[in-house]
Short mmCIF file of all heavy atoms in Angstrom, two decimals:
data_model
loop_
_atom_site.label_atom_id
_atom_site.label_comp_id
_atom_site.label_asym_id
_atom_site.label_seq_id
_atom_site.Cartn_x
_atom_site.Cartn_y
_atom_site.Cartn_z
N TYR A 24 30.34 154.14 209.16
CA TYR A 24 30.58 153.45 207.89
C TYR A 24 29.52 153.82 206.87
O TYR A 24 29.82 154.01 205.69
CB TYR A 24 30.62 151.94 208.09
CG TYR A 24 31.78 151.45 208.92
CD1 TYR A 24 31.59 150.55 209.97
CD2 TYR A 24 33.08 151.87 208.68
CE1 TYR A 24 32.65 150.08 210.72
CE2 TYR A 24 34.14 151.42 209.44
CZ TYR A 24 33.92 150.52 210.45
OH TYR A 24 34.97 150.07 211.20
N LEU A 25 28.26 153.91 207.30
CA LEU A 25 27.20 154.30 206.37
C LEU A 25 27.44 155.71 205.83
O LEU A 25 27.26 155.96 204.63
CB LEU A 25 25.83 154.24 207.06
CG LEU A 25 25.33 152.84 207.43
CD1 LEU A 25 24.05 152.94 208.25
CD2 LEU A 25 25.12 151.98 206.19
N ASP A 26 27.87 156.61 206.69
CA ASP A 26 28.18 157.97 206.25
C ASP A 26 29.34 157.98 205.26
O ASP A 26 29.35 158.76 204.31
CB ASP A 26 28.50 158.87 207.44
CG ASP A 26 27.30 159.16 208.32
OD1 ASP A 26 26.16 158.93 207.88
OD2 ASP A 26 27.52 159.61 209.47
N ARG A 27 30.32 157.11 205.50
CA ARG A 27 31.49 157.03 204.61
C ARG A 27 31.11 156.44 203.27
O ARG A 27 31.69 156.78 202.24
CB ARG A 27 32.58 156.21 205.29
CG ARG A 27 33.87 156.12 204.49
CD ARG A 27 34.99 155.50 205.28
NE ARG A 27 34.81 154.05 205.37
CZ ARG A 27 35.65 153.26 206.01
NH1 ARG A 27 36.69 153.76 206.65
NH2 ARG A 27 35.44 151.96 206.06
N GLY A 28 30.16 155.52 203.27
CA GLY A 28 29.68 154.96 202.01
C GLY A 28 30.33 153.65 201.59
O GLY A 28 29.99 153.12 200.53
N TRP A 29 31.23 153.12 202.36
CA TRP A 29 31.85 151.83 202.07
C TRP A 29 32.47 151.28 203.35
O TRP A 29 32.61 152.00 204.32
CB TRP A 29 32.92 151.93 200.97
CG TRP A 29 34.11 152.78 201.31
CD1 TRP A 29 34.21 154.13 201.14
CD2 TRP A 29 35.35 152.36 201.89
NE1 TRP A 29 35.44 154.57 201.58
CE2 TRP A 29 36.17 153.49 202.04
CE3 TRP A 29 35.84 151.13 202.30
CZ2 TRP A 29 37.44 153.43 202.58
CZ3 TRP A 29 37.13 151.07 202.84
CH2 TRP A 29 37.91 152.21 202.96
N ILE A 30 32.79 149.99 203.32
CA ILE A 30 33.43 149.35 204.45
C ILE A 30 34.45 148.35 203.93
O ILE A 30 34.21 147.69 202.90
CB ILE A 30 32.40 148.66 205.38
CG1 ILE A 30 33.06 148.18 206.66
CG2 ILE A 30 31.65 147.57 204.66
CD1 ILE A 30 32.09 147.79 207.75
N SER A 31 35.59 148.25 204.58
CA SER A 31 36.58 147.26 204.16
C SER A 31 36.12 145.89 204.65
O SER A 31 35.32 145.77 205.60
CB SER A 31 37.97 147.59 204.71
OG SER A 31 38.04 147.30 206.09
N ILE A 32 36.64 144.88 204.02
CA ILE A 32 36.28 143.51 204.39
C ILE A 32 36.69 143.23 205.83
O ILE A 32 35.91 142.66 206.61
CB ILE A 32 36.92 142.52 203.41
CG1 ILE A 32 36.30 142.71 202.03
CG2 ILE A 32 36.75 141.08 203.90
CD1 ILE A 32 37.05 142.03 200.90
N SER A 33 37.88 143.65 206.23
CA SER A 33 38.33 143.38 207.60
C SER A 33 37.52 144.19 208.63
O SER A 33 37.26 143.70 209.72
CB SER A 33 39.83 143.64 207.77
OG SER A 33 40.13 144.99 207.57
N GLU A 34 37.09 145.40 208.28
CA GLU A 34 36.25 146.18 209.19
C GLU A 34 34.91 145.47 209.41
O GLU A 34 34.41 145.39 210.53
CB GLU A 34 36.00 147.58 208.64
CG GLU A 34 37.20 148.48 208.71
CD GLU A 34 37.04 149.77 207.92
OE1 GLU A 34 36.23 149.81 206.96
OE2 GLU A 34 37.75 150.72 208.25
N LEU A 35 34.33 144.95 208.32
CA LEU A 35 33.07 144.24 208.42
C LEU A 35 33.22 142.97 209.25
O LEU A 35 32.39 142.68 210.11
CB LEU A 35 32.52 143.91 207.03
CG LEU A 35 31.18 143.18 206.99
CD1 LEU A 35 30.10 143.99 207.69
CD2 LEU A 35 30.79 142.87 205.56
N GLU A 36 34.28 142.22 209.00
CA GLU A 36 34.51 140.99 209.77
C GLU A 36 34.70 141.30 211.26
O GLU A 36 34.14 140.61 212.11
CB GLU A 36 35.73 140.25 209.23
CG GLU A 36 35.47 139.61 207.87
CD GLU A 36 36.73 139.04 207.23
OE1 GLU A 36 37.85 139.28 207.74
OE2 GLU A 36 36.58 138.36 206.21
N ASP A 37 35.48 142.33 211.58
CA ASP A 37 35.69 142.71 212.98
C ASP A 37 34.40 143.15 213.64
O ASP A 37 34.09 142.75 214.76
CB ASP A 37 36.73 143.83 213.09
CG ASP A 37 38.15 143.36 212.89
OD1 ASP A 37 38.38 142.13 212.81
OD2 ASP A 37 39.04 144.22 212.81
N LEU A 38 33.64 143.99 212.95
CA LEU A 38 32.39 144.48 213.52
C LEU A 38 31.43 143.32 213.77
O LEU A 38 30.80 143.25 214.82
CB LEU A 38 31.75 145.52 212.59
CG LEU A 38 30.54 146.20 213.20
CD1 LEU A 38 30.66 147.71 213.08
CD2 LEU A 38 29.27 145.70 212.58
N ASP A 39 31.35 142.41 212.81
CA ASP A 39 30.46 141.26 212.97
C ASP A 39 30.90 140.37 214.13
O ASP A 39 30.09 140.03 214.99
CB ASP A 39 30.43 140.44 211.68
CG ASP A 39 29.47 139.28 211.78
OD1 ASP A 39 28.25 139.52 211.88
OD2 ASP A 39 29.93 138.13 211.77
N THR A 40 32.17 140.04 214.20
CA THR A 40 32.69 139.11 215.21
C THR A 40 32.68 139.70 216.61
O THR A 40 32.27 139.02 217.57
CB THR A 40 34.12 138.68 214.85
OG1 THR A 40 34.11 138.04 213.58
CG2 THR A 40 34.71 137.74 215.89
N TYR A 41 33.13 140.93 216.74
CA TYR A 41 33.37 141.49 218.08
C TYR A 41 32.27 142.41 218.60
O TYR A 41 32.24 142.71 219.79
CB TYR A 41 34.71 142.24 218.10
CG TYR A 41 35.86 141.33 217.77
CD1 TYR A 41 36.57 141.49 216.59
CD2 TYR A 41 36.19 140.28 218.61
CE1 TYR A 41 37.62 140.64 216.27
CE2 TYR A 41 37.23 139.43 218.30
CZ TYR A 41 37.94 139.60 217.13
OH TYR A 41 38.97 138.76 216.81
N LEU A 42 31.36 142.85 217.74
CA LEU A 42 30.28 143.73 218.20
C LEU A 42 28.89 143.17 217.89
O LEU A 42 28.08 142.99 218.78
CB LEU A 42 30.42 145.13 217.60
CG LEU A 42 31.57 145.97 218.13
CD1 LEU A 42 31.67 147.29 217.36
CD2 LEU A 42 31.39 146.24 219.60
N TYR A 43 28.61 142.92 216.60
CA TYR A 43 27.25 142.55 216.23
C TYR A 43 26.83 141.20 216.81
O TYR A 43 25.75 141.09 217.41
CB TYR A 43 27.08 142.56 214.71
CG TYR A 43 25.68 142.21 214.29
CD1 TYR A 43 24.62 143.06 214.57
CD2 TYR A 43 25.41 141.02 213.64
CE1 TYR A 43 23.32 142.74 214.21
CE2 TYR A 43 24.12 140.68 213.27
CZ TYR A 43 23.08 141.54 213.55
OH TYR A 43 21.80 141.22 213.20
N GLN A 44 27.63 140.16 216.61
CA GLN A 44 27.24 138.84 217.11
C GLN A 44 27.12 138.80 218.64
O GLN A 44 26.13 138.27 219.15
CB GLN A 44 28.21 137.76 216.59
CG GLN A 44 28.14 137.54 215.09
CD GLN A 44 26.74 137.20 214.61
OE1 GLN A 44 25.97 136.49 215.27
NE2 GLN A 44 26.40 137.69 213.43
N PRO A 45 28.08 139.37 219.39
CA PRO A 45 27.90 139.40 220.85
C PRO A 45 26.66 140.20 221.26
O PRO A 45 25.94 139.82 222.19
CB PRO A 45 29.18 140.05 221.37
CG PRO A 45 30.20 139.77 220.32
CD PRO A 45 29.44 139.80 219.03
N TYR A 46 26.41 141.30 220.57
CA TYR A 46 25.23 142.12 220.85
C TYR A 46 23.95 141.29 220.65
O TYR A 46 23.03 141.32 221.47
CB TYR A 46 25.24 143.34 219.92
CG TYR A 46 24.02 144.21 219.99
CD1 TYR A 46 23.80 145.05 221.08
CD2 TYR A 46 23.09 144.20 218.97
CE1 TYR A 46 22.66 145.86 221.15
CE2 TYR A 46 21.96 145.01 219.02
CZ TYR A 46 21.76 145.83 220.10
OH TYR A 46 20.65 146.62 220.16
N LYS A 47 23.89 140.54 219.55
CA LYS A 47 22.73 139.68 219.29
C LYS A 47 22.58 138.62 220.37
O LYS A 47 21.47 138.36 220.84
CB LYS A 47 22.85 139.00 217.92
CG LYS A 47 22.66 139.92 216.75
CD LYS A 47 21.27 140.45 216.67
CE LYS A 47 20.30 139.31 216.39
NZ LYS A 47 18.90 139.72 216.40
N ARG A 48 23.68 137.98 220.76
CA ARG A 48 23.61 136.93 221.78
C ARG A 48 23.14 137.48 223.13
O ARG A 48 22.53 136.76 223.91
CB ARG A 48 24.98 136.26 221.94
CG ARG A 48 25.29 135.29 220.81
CD ARG A 48 26.48 134.41 221.12
NE ARG A 48 27.71 135.14 221.33
CZ ARG A 48 28.57 135.49 220.38
NH1 ARG A 48 28.33 135.19 219.12
NH2 ARG A 48 29.68 136.14 220.68
N MET A 49 23.39 138.75 223.39
CA MET A 49 22.95 139.36 224.65
C MET A 49 21.49 139.82 224.59
O MET A 49 20.97 140.34 225.56
CB MET A 49 23.85 140.54 225.01
CG MET A 49 25.23 140.14 225.44
SD MET A 49 26.21 141.56 225.95
CE MET A 49 25.46 141.91 227.54
N GLY A 50 20.86 139.66 223.44
CA GLY A 50 19.46 140.04 223.31
C GLY A 50 19.24 141.39 222.67
O GLY A 50 18.21 142.02 222.89
N GLY A 51 20.22 141.85 221.89
CA GLY A 51 20.11 143.14 221.22
C GLY A 51 18.84 143.27 220.40
O GLY A 51 18.25 142.27 219.97
N ASN A 52 18.42 144.50 220.18
CA ASN A 52 17.11 144.74 219.56
C ASN A 52 17.18 144.91 218.05
O ASN A 52 18.23 144.78 217.43
CB ASN A 52 16.44 145.96 220.20
CG ASN A 52 17.19 147.24 219.92
OD1 ASN A 52 18.03 147.32 219.04
ND2 ASN A 52 16.88 148.26 220.68
N SER A 53 16.03 145.22 217.49
CA SER A 53 15.92 145.31 216.03
C SER A 53 16.62 146.54 215.45
O SER A 53 16.90 146.57 214.26
CB SER A 53 14.45 145.31 215.62
OG SER A 53 13.78 146.42 216.19
N THR A 54 16.92 147.54 216.26
CA THR A 54 17.65 148.69 215.75
C THR A 54 19.02 148.25 215.24
O THR A 54 19.45 148.63 214.15
CB THR A 54 17.84 149.77 216.84
OG1 THR A 54 16.56 150.14 217.32
CG2 THR A 54 18.55 150.98 216.29
N GLY A 55 19.71 147.45 216.02
CA GLY A 55 21.01 146.92 215.60
C GLY A 55 20.89 146.07 214.35
O GLY A 55 21.71 146.16 213.44
N ASP A 56 19.84 145.25 214.29
CA ASP A 56 19.61 144.41 213.11
C ASP A 56 19.38 145.25 211.86
O ASP A 56 19.92 144.97 210.80
CB ASP A 56 18.40 143.51 213.31
CG ASP A 56 18.60 142.46 214.38
OD1 ASP A 56 19.77 142.07 214.64
OD2 ASP A 56 17.59 142.02 214.95
N ARG A 57 18.56 146.28 212.01
CA ARG A 57 18.23 147.14 210.87
C ARG A 57 19.46 147.86 210.34
O ARG A 57 19.72 147.89 209.13
CB ARG A 57 17.15 148.15 211.28
CG ARG A 57 16.56 148.90 210.13
CD ARG A 57 15.34 149.72 210.50
NE ARG A 57 15.07 149.94 211.91
CZ ARG A 57 15.55 150.97 212.63
NH1 ARG A 57 16.32 151.85 212.07
NH2 ARG A 57 15.25 151.10 213.91
N LEU A 58 20.26 148.42 211.26
CA LEU A 58 21.48 149.11 210.84
C LEU A 58 22.48 148.14 210.22
O LEU A 58 23.11 148.46 209.21
CB LEU A 58 22.11 149.84 212.02
CG LEU A 58 21.41 151.11 212.46
CD1 LEU A 58 22.00 151.62 213.76
CD2 LEU A 58 21.51 152.18 211.38
N TYR A 59 22.62 146.96 210.81
CA TYR A 59 23.56 145.97 210.27
C TYR A 59 23.13 145.54 208.87
O TYR A 59 23.98 145.38 207.99
CB TYR A 59 23.64 144.77 211.20
CG TYR A 59 24.73 143.81 210.81
CD1 TYR A 59 26.06 144.06 211.13
CD2 TYR A 59 24.44 142.65 210.10
CE1 TYR A 59 27.06 143.19 210.77
CE2 TYR A 59 25.44 141.77 209.73
CZ TYR A 59 26.75 142.04 210.06
OH TYR A 59 27.74 141.17 209.69
N ALA A 60 21.83 145.39 208.65
CA ALA A 60 21.33 145.02 207.32
C ALA A 60 21.69 146.08 206.29
O ALA A 60 22.03 145.76 205.14
CB ALA A 60 19.82 144.80 207.36
N GLU A 61 21.66 147.35 206.68
CA GLU A 61 22.07 148.43 205.77
C GLU A 61 23.57 148.41 205.55
O GLU A 61 24.06 148.65 204.45
CB GLU A 61 21.64 149.79 206.33
CG GLU A 61 20.15 150.01 206.32
CD GLU A 61 19.56 149.91 204.92
OE1 GLU A 61 20.12 150.52 203.98
OE2 GLU A 61 18.55 149.20 204.76
#
């Protein structure tokens, strides 16, 4: 998505719900946080 330069609202919602939040709950590291912030 960063390479593409944009993200759709539904892509962002899906990524947050099904990947980022579960990753964080499992103890994911700051690399994921940094990329998500971008």
Side-chain angles (χ1 to χ4, degrees):
Y24 294 132
L25 292 173
D26 291 344
R27 183 171 76 181
W29 64 273
I30 188 167
S31 74
I32 293 166
S33 64
E34 288 169 336
L35 181 59
E36 289 172 351
D37 284 352
L38 188 130
D39 183 66
T40 300
Y41 300 113
L42 289 175
Y43 181 68
Q44 293 304 323
Y46 174 74
K47 288 294 294 175
R48 284 192 299 272
M49 289 184 74
N52 66 16
S53 61
T54 303
D56 293 334
R57 191 170 14 89
L58 285 171
Y59 188 80
E61 291 302 312

